[in-house]
């Protein structure tokens, strides 16, 4: 958000102190308490004038009939972009993160652990999307005859991943016929992912079935069985932990809002949509209130960071909480967790 030219250093400092006071206490901030907390040699009347300017520019507002003021989403945005004083992550929290993420051996368990750690350390809701690689492409297809009617299909993918499956045939097949089928399929499928390979085989059958000899038909049948269902097992889309932590915040205490939030956590679609927006971000990205584009998160903030495997940003982790969250603590927790998760996942690569 572009900085309005009329917001001078004094106004910025007063806004910073007001936001920090409200985050800490959750109570509207009045001019007298702001004058004391600001450390500036200003009267309450002068502070009131500055607050009036901030309110007119949309950075703060008066809730109900309160004499104090609270930050708006615009005020939080300026605070996060330009005023927040990031605190180093406490050594104890860093040791917990390092220890837990090093201890897990399975990538799925690492994702679960990262979500729980984010929630536990921040006392908010932790979210981690599962890694989303671009589909692997086929490098080579081979067939190994196990018996007259049993064949082992071997698919070598472009990430040195090998997928095997046993195919049961209706009739006998020779090793020579299997080699011919493999040659036929390799000519047509190398460079395609599994979904593209299935589509290509179906299209080949649709267009040329009348002109195909028995070898070609057998090759396509073998190919269809080799790629059918492989790679289609959907990963759990994202892992969420600490949903009930949000019940402890007055900002989100409305039962209707909580019900909508919990419904969003259950169906995950809205959260995944938000996380996808952050996948190509460079470092920490923050959505405040309506910036998310999802009505259900209008009263929330989401602090996210991408994690990487083999130099590729494959997923996003973050924290969801009220707009009145301690950004100075949450931002480094999210940033460092993303870095440590990246290191842990890379160390599990074959």
């Amino acid at each position: 958000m572009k900085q309005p030219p009329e917001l001078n250093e004094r106004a910025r400092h007063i806004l910073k102190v007001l936001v920090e006071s409200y985050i800490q206490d959750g109570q509207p901030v009045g001019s007298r308490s702001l004058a004391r907390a600001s450390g500036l040699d200003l009267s309450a009347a002068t502070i009131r004038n500055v607050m009036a300017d901030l309110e007119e520019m949309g950075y703060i507002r008066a809730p109900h009939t309160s004499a104090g003021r609270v930050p708006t989403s615009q005020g939080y945005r300026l605070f996060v972009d330009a005023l927040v004083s990031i605190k180093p992550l406490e050594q104890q929290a860093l040791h917990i993160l390092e220890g837990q993420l090093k201890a897990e051996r399975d990538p799925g368990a690492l994702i679960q652990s990262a979500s729980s750690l984010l929630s536990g350390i921040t006392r908010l809701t932790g979210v981690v999307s599962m890694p989303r690689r671009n589909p692997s492409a086929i490098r080579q297809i081979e067939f190994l005859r196990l018996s007259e009617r049993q064949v082992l299909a071997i698919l070598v993918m472009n990430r040195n991943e090998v997928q095997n499956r046993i195919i049961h045939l209706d009739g006998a097949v020779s090793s020579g016929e299997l080699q011919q089928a493999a040659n036929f399929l390799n000519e047509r499928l190398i460079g395609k992912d599994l979904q593209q390979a299935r589509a290509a085989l179906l299209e080949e059958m649709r267009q040329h079935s009348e002109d195909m000899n028995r070898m070609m038909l057998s090759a396509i049948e073998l190919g269809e069985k080799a790629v059918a269902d492989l790679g289609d097992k959907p990963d759990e889309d994202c892992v969420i932990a600490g949903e009930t932590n949000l019940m402890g915040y007055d900002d989100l205490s409305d039962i209707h809002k909580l019900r909508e939030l919990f419904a969003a956590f259950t169906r995950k679609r809205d959260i995944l949509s938000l996380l996808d927006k952050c996948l190509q971000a460079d470092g920490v990205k923050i959505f405040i209130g309506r910036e998310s584009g999802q009505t259900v998160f209008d009263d929330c903030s989401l602090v996210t960071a991408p994690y990487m495997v083999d130099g590729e940003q494959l997923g996003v982790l973050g924290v969801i909480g009220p707009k009145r969250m301690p950004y100075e603590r949450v931002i480094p927790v999210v940033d460092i967790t993303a870095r440590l998760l990246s290191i842990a996942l890379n160390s599990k690569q074959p």
Side-chain angles (χ1 to χ4, degrees):
M1 180 176 150
K2 191 175 179 180
Q3 177 63 39
E6 60 268 18
L7 200 61
N8 57 33
E9 285 302 313
R10 183 171 68 179
R12 286 160 63 93
H13 179 72
I14 288 172
L15 176 63
K16 180 179 189 291
V17 174
L18 185 148
V19 174
E20 289 174 342
S21 297
Y22 183 64
I23 287 174
Q24 181 174 332
D25 302 329
Q27 298 297 320
V29 185
S31 57
R32 289 186 182 281
S33 61
L34 196 51
R36 288 192 299 269
S38 70
L40 301 176
D41 187 17
L42 298 173
S43 67
T46 302
I47 295 285
R48 280 196 295 273
N49 289 335
V50 176
M51 291 174 72
D53 292 339
L54 290 171
E55 187 168 4
E56 186 177 344
M57 288 185 281
Y59 292 110
I60 62 176
R61 65 181 179 85
H64 310 300
T65 57
S66 169
R69 298 295 184 269
V70 301
T72 62
S73 291
Q74 183 180 332
Y76 280 120
R77 171 48 63 192
L78 179 58
F79 176 77
V80 163
D81 286 348
L83 305 176
V84 65
S85 301
I86 301 298
K87 295 182 178 178
L89 188 62
E90 300 94 332
Q91 284 300 309
Q92 183 182 4
L94 181 59
H95 291 154
I96 290 171
L97 283 169
E98 288 178 329
Q100 289 290 327
L101 293 176
K102 280 182 181 177
E104 298 293 355
R105 296 186 177 181
D106 175 66
L110 274 170
I111 300 295
Q112 291 274 358
S113 185
S115 183
S116 297
L117 287 165
L118 285 168
S119 168
I121 292 173
T122 64
R123 307 309 303 161
L124 299 167
T125 298
V127 294
V128 186
S129 68
M130 297 299 288
R132 294 189 179 185
R133 285 187 181 273
N134 292 325
S136 294
I138 296 171
R139 283 178 55 190
Q140 188 175 359
I141 298 175
E142 297 177 15
F143 295 111
L144 180 64
R145 186 172 180 267
L146 300 178
S147 67
E148 278 194 356
R149 299 192 179 190
Q150 250 189 4
V151 172
L152 177 66
I154 305 167
L155 275 73
V156 182
M157 313 302 285
N158 66 344
R159 294 195 182 98
N160 295 321
E161 171 191 357
V162 179
Q163 300 193 29
N164 300 324
R165 76 179 313 164
I166 294 175
I167 298 173
H168 299 275
L169 303 176
D170 296 331
V173 63
S174 69
S175 296
E177 289 172 326
L178 289 177
Q179 186 59 57
Q180 284 184 308
N183 294 340
F184 177 87
L185 293 170
N186 281 320
E187 285 179 12
R188 288 158 177 79
L189 302 184
I190 285 177
K192 292 181 169 60
D193 63 41
L194 295 173
Q195 185 175 352
Q196 292 169 338
R198 285 193 288 270
L201 291 172
L202 289 172
E203 182 65 15
E204 188 91 19
M205 180 70 82
R206 188 183 67 80
Q207 288 191 356
H208 306 295
S209 59
E210 293 182 2
D211 304 325
M212 286 183 175
N213 58 32
R214 190 177 71 83
M215 186 280 294
M216 291 179 179
L217 289 171
S218 298
I220 287 180
E221 179 187 357
L222 273 172
E224 287 177 339
K225 289 181 177 180
V227 301
D229 303 324
L230 282 178
D232 282 348
K233 291 185 259 184
D235 287 325
E236 187 179 358
D237 33 28
C238 69
V239 177
I240 304 174
E243 298 95 315
T244 55
N245 286 342
L246 302 187
M247 297 174 69
Y249 291 89
D250 292 341
D251 315 51
L252 304 173
S253 60
D254 180 273
I255 191 66
H256 176 68
K257 291 178 181 177
L258 273 177
R259 190 178 293 121
E260 287 187 339
L261 263 178
F262 279 28
F265 291 147
T266 300
R267 62 177 179 265
K268 298 183 179 179
R269 184 183 63 243
D270 297 333
I271 294 173
L272 276 170
S273 174
L274 262 181
L275 296 180
D276 284 347
K277 291 180 183 179
C278 311
L279 193 54
Q280 301 307 320
D282 183 17
V284 174
K285 185 174 179 62
I286 302 171
F287 293 96
I288 299 173
R290 294 181 180 177
E291 293 173 0
S292 70
Q294 308 280 357
T295 305
V296 68
F297 300 122
D298 280 356
D299 295 312
C300 298
S301 285
L302 174 66
V303 180
T304 71
Y307 63 85
M308 305 178 74
V309 179
D310 294 335
E312 184 181 357
Q313 293 186 176
L314 295 186
V316 177
L317 57 75
V319 163
I320 297 174
K323 288 185 283 188
R324 187 180 68 84
M325 68 164 64
Y327 296 97
E328 75 282 356
R329 285 188 60 250
V330 171
I331 291 171
V333 169
V334 169
D335 184 32
I336 291 172
T337 303
R339 295 172 190 270
L340 291 175
L341 179 60
S342 299
I343 292 169
L345 286 169
N346 279 291
S347 71
K348 311 302 177 192
Q349 294 298 297

